[in-house]
Each structure stands twice: as C-alpha cells, then as structure tokens.
C-alpha cells in the first residue's frame, strides 16, 4: 500500500505513456526521498522505467542509487532488477553518471560478473576524463571486483600503457581500499613537497 502511494504518479505516467510525466514523477521521488524513503516495492516499480531508456532510465538509476546509498534499500525483486539494470547499463553509452549508478547497483545486488564485464569494456577506453578508473573506486564496486581478481589480472595483462596502469590501480583498491587510499595520499603529499 505504501509503495503504491509513493509511486502512484509514476504508475499513472507509465500507463499514459507520458515520458515527461515519468521523468517528473521520478524527480519528485528523488526530491522527497529524505522525507519519504522508498520501499522495496516502490523500487520495483521504478525498475520498470529502465526499459524506457534515455533520460527516464538515467533518472530511475539515480533514484535507485540514492535509495541504495542513503537508506540501504534495494528492490524487492533483486534478480529482475539486476537483469534490467544490466540492460540499462548496456544502453547507457557515454552517460558516465548512469554507468556509475548502474555499476554501484549491480555490485550491491551481487552481479559482480556484470561489473567485471563493464570494466573490461571500459578499460580500453580509459582516458582520465570521460572514462576514468575512479568510476570503479567505491567500496561496493571494490567488493564485487575483489572476488574476481584472477579475471582482472588477465584483463590487466592484455592491456598496455595507461589502461593497464588503471586496471592495476583498480585491482589494488579492490584488494585493500584503505591501503590504496593511503598510498595515493602519500603520493599527493610527496608531490606537494616537491612543488
């Protein structure tokens, strides 16, 4: 009942096929999440928006990401959510915000193979600006990747230059995030001393 109340406007917009109203309803859910945290059943409704693609899917990923990070709430139908998030990730193209949200959600939903696949796809495109290793440096993603270190080692060995260095850094972070962050801090401090 509470989930239906939370998603009534979204469900009406979906039924009407009005993409602008879908986007507006998602925006409202995002704005009011602190006051009215979403229930798992409400997130199941939001997962359905991913099939629309485009701006609506990106906003749905943002709403689900915010719910997962801030309240620790995930969709009730986790397997279905992971399948649809994986498909949305495949359609995200160059929308790196949507990619980061999808990666985090897949990691917390336990779909580590999808995270590894996306890393393999991205690794050849690491440029430090558009596609960055930092997209993979979060505790949830690190936990997912840490279970697949052998696959990441093979990926790293297949790469050269910056891409190999970035995958190596992601592997280091996945193995021990605190040690990696301390090493980066120390390198930054050393650079400041040189200046």
């Amino acid at each position: 009942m509470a989930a239906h109340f939370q998603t009534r406007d979204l469900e009406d917009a979906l039924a009407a096929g009005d993409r602008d109203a879908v986007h507006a309803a998602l925006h409202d859910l995002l704005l009011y999440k602190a006051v009215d945290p979403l229930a798992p059943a409400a997130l199941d409704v939001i997962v359905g928006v991913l099939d629309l693609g485009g701006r609506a899917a990106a906003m749905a990923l943002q709403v689900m990401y915010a719910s997962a990070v801030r309240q620790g709430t995930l969709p009730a139908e986790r397997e279905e959510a992971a399948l649809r998030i994986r498909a949305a990730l495949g359609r995200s193209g160059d929308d790196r915000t949507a990619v980061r949200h999808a990666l985090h959600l897949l990691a917390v939903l336990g779909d580590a193979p999808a995270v590894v696949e996306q890393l393999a796809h991205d690794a050849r495109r690491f440029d430090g600006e558009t596609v960055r290793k930092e997209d993979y440096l979060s505790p949830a993603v690190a936990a997912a990747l840490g279970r697949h270190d052998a696959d990441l080692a093979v990926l790293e060995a297949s790469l050269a230059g910056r891409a190999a260095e970035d995958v190596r850094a992601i592997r280091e972070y996945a193995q021990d995030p605190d040690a990696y962050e301390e090493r980066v801090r120390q390198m930054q401090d050393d650079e400041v001393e040189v200046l």
Side-chain angles (χ1 to χ4, degrees):
M1 178 77 165
H4 178 68
F5 176 76
Q6 289 177 313
T7 59
R8 183 178 38 222
D9 291 343
L10 177 59
E11 292 175 78
D12 290 346
L14 286 167
D18 185 344
R19 288 179 180 251
D20 289 334
V22 166
H23 191 266
L26 288 168
H27 190 262
D28 287 347
L29 289 171
L30 191 60
L31 285 175
Y32 296 109
K33 71 187 173 312
V35 175
D36 189 16
L38 295 171
L43 292 171
D44 287 341
V45 173
I46 294 167
V47 164
V49 175
L50 296 175
D51 296 340
L52 297 177
R55 190 172 79 137
M59 179 64 80
L61 286 170
Q62 183 179 1
V63 171
M64 289 187 296
Y65 172 82
S67 182
V69 169
R70 290 185 176 78
Q71 281 92 27
T73 307
L74 296 171
E77 300 295 327
R78 292 181 181 188
E79 287 182 31
E80 179 67 23
L83 287 172
R84 288 185 177 190
I85 292 167
R86 188 185 267 239
L89 176 61
R91 293 187 303 265
S92 293
D94 290 331
D95 182 347
R96 293 311 296 179
T97 301
V99 169
R100 280 189 300 278
H101 290 158
L103 285 171
H104 182 86
L105 289 165
L106 288 168
V108 297
L109 287 168
D111 193 350
V115 177
V116 172
E117 287 172 23
Q118 185 65 34
L119 175 56
H121 171 76
D122 281 346
R124 296 174 189 355
R125 302 177 332 138
F126 282 140
D127 61 12
E129 291 180 26
T130 307
V131 181
R132 304 177 328 226
K133 71 179 181 230
E134 287 78 14
D135 294 349
Y136 294 87
L137 302 182
S138 76
V141 173
L145 291 175
R147 294 186 296 269
H148 293 272
D149 190 61
D151 296 330
L152 298 182
V154 169
L155 174 62
E156 179 185 338
S158 73
L159 300 168
R162 181 181 185 132
E165 291 171 19
D166 286 351
V167 171
R168 185 175 315 112
I170 292 166
R171 287 182 63 213
E172 287 176 24
Y173 183 87
Q175 292 167 0
D176 190 348
D178 293 334
Y180 175 85
E181 288 177 2
E182 181 57 34
R183 186 176 62 78
V184 168
R185 256 190 306 280
Q186 187 60 46
M187 287 174 26
Q188 290 170 342
D189 289 347
D190 291 346
E191 286 177 9
V192 170
E193 287 178 14
V194 170
L195 295 176

